[in-house]
PDB file of all heavy atoms in Angstrom:
ATOM      1  N   THR J 323    -149.637  26.521 -99.399  1.00 32.00           N
ATOM      2  CA  THR J 323    -148.915  27.741 -99.022  1.00 32.00           C
ATOM      3  C   THR J 323    -149.132  27.943 -97.545  1.00 32.00           C
ATOM      4  O   THR J 323    -149.988  28.713 -97.127  1.00 32.00           O
ATOM      5  CB  THR J 323    -149.467  28.976 -99.763  1.00 32.00           C
ATOM      6  OG1 THR J 323    -150.882  29.002 -99.636  1.00 32.00           O
ATOM      7  CG2 THR J 323    -149.067  28.987-101.205  1.00 32.00           C
ATOM      8  N   PRO J 324    -148.402  27.215 -96.749  1.00 31.00           N
ATOM      9  CA  PRO J 324    -148.593  27.352 -95.301  1.00 31.00           C
ATOM     10  C   PRO J 324    -148.248  28.759 -94.879  1.00 31.00           C
ATOM     11  O   PRO J 324    -147.274  29.326 -95.346  1.00 31.00           O
ATOM     12  CB  PRO J 324    -147.615  26.350 -94.708  1.00 31.00           C
ATOM     13  CG  PRO J 324    -146.646  26.035 -95.780  1.00 31.00           C
ATOM     14  CD  PRO J 324    -147.311  26.288 -97.081  1.00 31.00           C
ATOM     15  N   ARG J 325    -149.109  29.314 -94.059  1.00 32.00           N
ATOM     16  CA  ARG J 325    -148.884  30.694 -93.675  1.00 32.00           C
ATOM     17  C   ARG J 325    -147.847  30.796 -92.583  1.00 32.00           C
ATOM     18  O   ARG J 325    -147.275  31.826 -92.372  1.00 32.00           O
ATOM     19  CB  ARG J 325    -150.194  31.331 -93.233  1.00 32.00           C
ATOM     20  CG  ARG J 325    -151.212  31.302 -94.345  1.00 32.00           C
ATOM     21  CD  ARG J 325    -152.436  32.043 -93.937  1.00 32.00           C
ATOM     22  NE  ARG J 325    -152.151  33.454 -93.794  1.00 32.00           N
ATOM     23  CZ  ARG J 325    -152.858  34.277 -93.062  1.00 32.00           C
ATOM     24  NH1 ARG J 325    -153.873  33.826 -92.381  1.00 32.00           N
ATOM     25  NH2 ARG J 325    -152.563  35.550 -92.985  1.00 32.00           N
ATOM     26  N   TYR J 326    -147.676  29.741 -91.911  1.00 30.00           N
ATOM     27  CA  TYR J 326    -146.700  29.828 -90.829  1.00 30.00           C
ATOM     28  C   TYR J 326    -146.062  28.480 -90.660  1.00 30.00           C
ATOM     29  O   TYR J 326    -146.738  27.485 -90.501  1.00 30.00           O
ATOM     30  CB  TYR J 326    -147.411  30.245 -89.529  1.00 30.00           C
ATOM     31  CG  TYR J 326    -146.442  30.410 -88.387  1.00 30.00           C
ATOM     32  CD1 TYR J 326    -145.727  31.581 -88.235  1.00 30.00           C
ATOM     33  CD2 TYR J 326    -146.238  29.369 -87.502  1.00 30.00           C
ATOM     34  CE1 TYR J 326    -144.815  31.713 -87.215  1.00 30.00           C
ATOM     35  CE2 TYR J 326    -145.329  29.505 -86.478  1.00 30.00           C
ATOM     36  CZ  TYR J 326    -144.624  30.682 -86.334  1.00 30.00           C
ATOM     37  OH  TYR J 326    -143.741  30.807 -85.318  1.00 30.00           O
ATOM     38  N   ARG J 327    -144.811  28.425 -90.717  1.00 29.00           N
ATOM     39  CA  ARG J 327    -144.158  27.134 -90.593  1.00 29.00           C
ATOM     40  C   ARG J 327    -143.825  26.846 -89.143  1.00 29.00           C
ATOM     41  O   ARG J 327    -143.128  27.596 -88.489  1.00 29.00           O
ATOM     42  CB  ARG J 327    -142.854  27.147 -91.401  1.00 29.00           C
ATOM     43  CG  ARG J 327    -143.116  26.981 -92.864  1.00 29.00           C
ATOM     44  CD  ARG J 327    -142.010  26.163 -93.526  1.00 29.00           C
ATOM     45  NE  ARG J 327    -142.254  26.057 -94.941  1.00 29.00           N
ATOM     46  CZ  ARG J 327    -143.081  25.186 -95.471  1.00 29.00           C
ATOM     47  NH1 ARG J 327    -143.707  24.336 -94.699  1.00 29.00           N
ATOM     48  NH2 ARG J 327    -143.279  25.141 -96.762  1.00 29.00           N
ATOM     49  N   ASP J 328    -144.334  25.735 -88.687  1.00 30.00           N
ATOM     50  CA  ASP J 328    -144.027  25.330 -87.327  1.00 30.00           C
ATOM     51  C   ASP J 328    -142.773  24.488 -87.379  1.00 30.00           C
ATOM     52  O   ASP J 328    -142.724  23.450 -88.012  1.00 30.00           O
ATOM     53  CB  ASP J 328    -145.212  24.524 -86.776  1.00 30.00           C
ATOM     54  CG  ASP J 328    -144.974  24.059 -85.375  1.00 30.00           C
ATOM     55  OD1 ASP J 328    -143.852  24.189 -84.886  1.00 30.00           O
ATOM     56  OD2 ASP J 328    -145.903  23.561 -84.769  1.00 30.00           O
ATOM     57  N   ARG J 329    -141.753  24.925 -86.697  1.00 28.00           N
ATOM     58  CA  ARG J 329    -140.496  24.214 -86.808  1.00 28.00           C
ATOM     59  C   ARG J 329    -140.577  22.792 -86.278  1.00 28.00           C
ATOM     60  O   ARG J 329    -139.825  21.935 -86.663  1.00 28.00           O
ATOM     61  CB  ARG J 329    -139.388  24.972 -86.070  1.00 28.00           C
ATOM     62  CG  ARG J 329    -138.435  25.644 -87.040  1.00 28.00           C
ATOM     63  CD  ARG J 329    -137.401  26.487 -86.356  1.00 28.00           C
ATOM     64  NE  ARG J 329    -137.696  27.886 -86.510  1.00 28.00           N
ATOM     65  CZ  ARG J 329    -137.735  28.749 -85.510  1.00 28.00           C
ATOM     66  NH1 ARG J 329    -137.521  28.368 -84.289  1.00 28.00           N
ATOM     67  NH2 ARG J 329    -137.995  30.028 -85.733  1.00 28.00           N
TER      68      ARG J 329
END
Side-chain angles (χ1 to χ4, degrees):
Chain J
T323 49
R325 300 185 67 203
Y326 182 82
R327 282 215 182 278
D328 180 350
R329 253 175 254 130

